[in-house]
Amino acid sequence: MIGKSPFEALSVETLAGRLRANGALCSQIGKDTSRWKVREVGDGNLNLVFIVEGAEGAAVVKQALPYVRLVGDSWPLPLKRSFFEYHALTRQQARAPDSVPDIYHFDEGQALIIMEYLSPHIILRRALIEGRQLPNIAKDIGLFMARTLFRGSDLHMATKDRKADLALFADNVELCDITENLVFSDPYFDAKMNRHTSPQLDGIVAELRADRDLKVEAQRMKHHFAANAETLLHGDLHSGSIMVTDTETRMIDPEFAFYGPIAFDVGMLLANFWMAFFSQRGHEQNGKRDAMRAYLLDVTVDTWSAFRAEFSHLWRTERTGILYQKSLFEDQGDRLGAEQALDHMLHSIWTDLLGFAGVEVHRRILGLAHNADFETIADQDLRARCEAKALKFGRHLAVNRRQIHSIDEVNQLAALIERESRI
C-alpha cells in the first residue's frame, strides 16, 4: 500500500500499479486498472498533477516533489507542503463550502492528495487570455475570500482553536520563505533567479531597483506579511489557482497557506486581474480587446464589492472571537461603535491590499515566476510595452497607497496608463 514505503515520485507509467489498491481512488473511478487512463497535466512550478480516468469516473492525483519543479533538484523543498495544502483545503471547505475541490484521500508519507476532478473547468488565467468574460467570478471569489479570511481569524474563531491552527501552519516555513524573498525582495535587486524581458525593460528595471521609496514600501509590506498573523491565508491566490466554468468557480493549490494579514490574498488576487488588463493588447490578434479590458476593470470593482459586503455581513452576524467583542458594542446598545470599528478594519485592508498588489505586479514581471498573461505574448517588444505599463502601475500602488481612496480611482489610473502611447 502506498505510504508504507519510502517516498517515490509517481509517473504516468507507475501510477496505476501503485494506486490500484487505494480504496478512495477506486471508489471514484473503478477498480479495473486496465481501463485507467493517466495523464500528467501539472503546469505549475512545484508539483506533479495527474488526471486519472476509469470506467466509473475521474479524479486528480497531486503529488509534491522534494524540490521546486520549475528549477530542479538544485532547489530542495520539503514534502510536508502537501500536509499544509490538505489542511488548508479542509478548512476552506468548512468555511466556504463548495469553493474548493472535494478531498478523497491524503497520504502524508507519499505527499499526495487524491481529489475531485473539476470538469469542464479550466484555469481562470487561460480563460482571461482567451478573452472569455465569465459572469460569476467576481462574486464567487469575493465571497470565498471574505468567508475564509474572516472565519479563520480572531474575529470569529475560538482563541484556543485559532492558536492551535496558528502553531500548525507556522511550520510551513520553506514556502513562506519563498514568498518573503521572491515576492518582496528579489524583484528589487539583481537576484540570481530573476529574469525579465531584456533588453527592452533594462532601463525601467534599473530605475525600480534604484527607487528608494519603492524599496522601503516593499519592505514595509514584507514586514506586515511576516509579522501580522491575522488569519489563515490561501497564500497563493491568483488567476492560475482558480478553476472556472461559466457557472462555477473553485479555488485550488493552497500549499502556501500561512497565518498572515487579511489583505494579502485580496491584494494578490486583484493584482492578477490588473495584470490581465495590461496584457490584453498583446492578445489582440483576432480583434480589439476594449470590451475585455472594461470587463476586467469591472471584475476588480465587483470582487472588492462582494468581499466588502460579505465581510461586513459576517462582522455583524459571526463576530464571536476575541476581537471587537459584541459585549463592548452591540450588547451595550452601541451598534454605531461596531460599525466604526468595521470601517477602520476595511480601510486598513484596503490600504494594505494596494501595497501587496503593487509588489505582486513587480515580482510577476521581474522575478522568477512569471504570468502567462505576459509570457504568452510572442512579440517581445509588444510584451515589454505591456509589462512596462504594469510596472509603472504597480509602483504607484505600492508607494502611494495611502492616498488612494477607491477602486474606481485605481482603475482610472490603470486606464490612463494603458492609453499612454509613449510607454
Side-chain angles (χ1 to χ4, degrees):
M1 181 74 174
I2 193 166
K4 296 183 179 180
S5 56
F7 173 84
E8 181 181 351
L10 294 167
S11 68
V12 170
E13 294 74 23
T14 65
L15 185 145
R18 293 182 62 201
L19 291 178
R20 66 182 183 276
N22 186 285
L25 181 58
C26 291
S27 68
Q28 295 298 320
I29 70 173
K31 296 180 179 180
D32 185 358
T33 58
S34 68
R35 301 183 66 179
W36 288 13
K37 296 179 182 179
V38 182
R39 292 179 286 141
E40 209 282 302
V41 297
D43 60 357
N45 298 326
L46 300 180
N47 308 293
L48 297 170
V49 181
F50 302 91
I51 296 174
V52 189
E53 298 174 280
E56 298 179 19
V60 167
V61 176
K62 180 175 180 179
Q63 186 180 39
L65 291 168
Y67 52 82
V68 177
R69 185 177 185 179
L70 176 65
V71 177
D73 56 14
S74 63
W75 188 346
L77 204 61
L79 296 171
K80 65 183 179 182
R81 66 184 186 273
S82 66
F83 171 88
F84 299 114
E85 178 171 6
Y86 165 72
H87 281 281
L89 285 167
T90 61
R91 285 151 178 77
Q92 289 167 352
Q93 180 65 278
R95 294 165 186 168
D98 301 321
S99 62
V100 299
D102 290 336
I103 302 300
Y104 305 136
H105 178 75
F106 171 57
D107 186 324
E108 185 173 356
Q110 293 298 315
L112 70 84
I113 304 172
I114 301 175
M115 67 184 80
E116 179 184 5
Y117 172 48
L118 299 174
S119 178
H121 302 65
I122 66 170
I123 293 293
L124 174 57
R125 178 169 288 133
R126 174 182 154 194
L128 298 180
I129 290 170
E130 293 174 354
R132 289 179 56 182
Q133 297 182 24
L134 298 144
N136 296 330
I137 57 171
K139 179 181 178 182
D140 291 346
I141 299 169
L143 292 176
F144 170 81
M145 292 190 300
R147 290 168 179 171
T148 56
L149 297 172
F150 187 95
R151 290 171 173 161
S153 76
D154 270 323
L155 293 167
H156 174 75
M157 291 183 72
T159 184
K160 180 180 178 181
D161 296 336
R162 199 201 75 90
K163 286 178 169 58
D165 241 25
L166 175 63
L168 186 148
F169 284 96
D171 194 36
N172 201 4
V173 175
E174 290 80 6
L175 269 67
C176 284
D177 180 71
I178 290 175
T179 300
E180 288 155 2
N181 288 299
L182 266 63
V183 174
F184 296 103
S185 291
D186 285 7
Y188 304 108
F189 74 103
D190 189 20
K192 181 179 179 181
M193 290 184 288
N194 283 354
R195 61 188 178 89
H196 63 265
T197 306
S198 181
Q200 292 90 338
L201 293 182
D202 289 356
I204 192 170
V205 171
E207 290 178 14
L208 293 174
R209 289 179 182 165
D211 190 329
R212 180 184 301 152
D213 291 340
L214 173 60
K215 290 187 290 185
V216 168
E217 293 305 325
Q219 290 309 289
R220 291 183 73 176
M221 299 317 300
K222 183 176 183 178
H223 185 178
H224 189 42
F225 174 82
N228 288 274
E230 290 182 327
T231 192
L232 179 63
L233 304 173
H234 178 287
D236 197 28
L237 190 60
H238 53 73
S239 54
S241 296
I242 301 171
M243 298 194 71
V244 296
T245 67
D246 285 342
T247 59
E248 190 174 63
T249 310
R250 300 282 194 97
M251 320 311 151
I252 62 173
D253 295 348
E255 60 201 323
F256 282 80
F258 174 68
Y259 267 79
I262 289 171
F264 182 77
D265 279 355
V266 189
M268 300 288 272
L269 186 280
L270 291 179
N272 279 263
F273 286 137
W274 282 314
M275 282 185 280
F277 168 83
F278 284 108
S279 76
Q280 290 302 304
R281 201 165 296 280
H283 303 296
E284 290 185 325
Q285 297 88 342
N286 298 317
K288 293 292 185 181
R289 290 285 188 102
D290 291 344
M292 189 64 187
R293 278 187 283 271
Y295 162 78
L296 286 164
L297 295 185
D298 287 343
V299 165
T300 66
V301 173
D302 294 342
T303 302
W304 174 238
S305 177
F307 173 85
R308 280 177 54 97
E310 182 67 4
F311 193 93
S312 299
H313 170 71
L314 295 172
W315 175 279
R316 294 165 187 140
T317 60
E318 296 189 17
R319 201 173 75 254
T320 55
I322 63 170
L323 296 181
Y324 305 98
Q325 301 102 307
K326 291 188 176 182
S327 58
L328 302 178
F329 299 105
E330 290 94 336
D331 292 353
Q332 298 183 32
D334 186 14
R335 184 184 62 82
L336 292 180
E339 292 298 303
Q340 179 178 328
L342 171 62
D343 287 344
H344 281 301
M345 174 155 280
L346 288 172
H347 178 73
S348 295
I349 293 170
W350 167 250
T351 303
D352 292 340
L353 79 83
L354 293 177
F356 289 127
V359 297
E360 166 70 355
V361 171
H362 288 166
R363 75 99 171 193
R364 287 294 190 175
I365 297 172
L366 306 180
L368 170 67
H370 287 209
N371 275 4
D373 306 74
F374 296 120
E375 292 291 282
T376 54
I377 301 173
D379 184 329
Q380 288 207 356
D381 290 335
L382 177 56
R383 181 201 307 165
R385 288 195 294 273
C386 295
E387 291 174 327
K389 293 177 180 182
L391 290 171
K392 178 178 179 180
F393 173 80
R395 194 266 178 196
H396 185 88
L397 294 191
V399 173
N400 300 301
R401 64 185 184 277
R402 297 170 198 84
Q403 287 76 50
I404 301 173
H405 304 296
S406 72
I407 199 159
D408 287 336
E409 186 179 339
V410 176
N411 286 340
Q412 288 168 13
L413 172 69
L416 177 63
I417 292 175
E418 162 58 26
R419 289 195 297 268
E420 289 183 357
S421 59
R422 62 183 179 83
I423 295 179

